[in-house]
Amino acid sequence: MTVTGGPRFDQPSERTLGNVLRKQALHRPETRFVVAEGVSWTFADVDQRADGLARGLADLGVAPGDTVAIYSGNRADLVPLVFAINRVGAVWVPINTDEHGS
């Protein structure tokens, strides 16, 4: 499947989660991106939330290369958090409390 009309990246190194979200927020800010459990966020909404969370993470001392564990069930709030962790250059490690071993 080929998608046309979307944002382009000149260099492969520009294809980070944070950059993809930012370009989508600029290209189609009002398009719904997260719809779940009473939440409906556009690309612009998630981009703005990710920026705020990234600033908070940086203020807490999270730096590029750090690992951030997320101990949570499936929640819409995780989407901007994952983008924020990527924006500061850290690595996220999900620990899903909704999943149980067999």
Side-chain angles (χ1 to χ4, degrees):
M1 175 172 119
T2 302
V3 177
T4 59
R8 302 265 186 235
F9 296 92
D10 295 329
Q11 301 296 321
S13 62
E14 295 175 350
R15 295 182 198 138
T16 65
L17 283 175
N19 286 345
V20 170
L21 174 61
R22 176 70 37 88
K23 285 213 176 194
Q24 289 293 349
L26 293 171
H27 186 71
R28 49 180 59 102
E30 297 305 317
T31 299
R32 289 188 306 169
F33 178 47
V34 175
V35 179
E37 301 173 356
V39 170
S40 180
W41 292 329
T42 65
F43 282 110
D45 294 333
V46 175
D47 186 55
Q48 182 179 21
R49 289 172 187 273
D51 275 347
L53 289 166
R55 282 190 300 275
L57 290 167
D59 289 347
L60 289 171
V62 177
D66 285 352
T67 300
V68 177
I70 302 172
Y71 185 78
S72 175
N74 294 328
R75 303 173 43 138
D77 292 343
L78 295 176
V79 176
L81 179 58
V82 168
F83 281 103
I85 292 168
N86 180 264
R87 280 216 173 127
V88 297
V91 177
W92 65 285
V93 178
I95 303 167
N96 190 334
T97 59
D98 290 341
E99 295 297 324
H100 302 282
S102 49

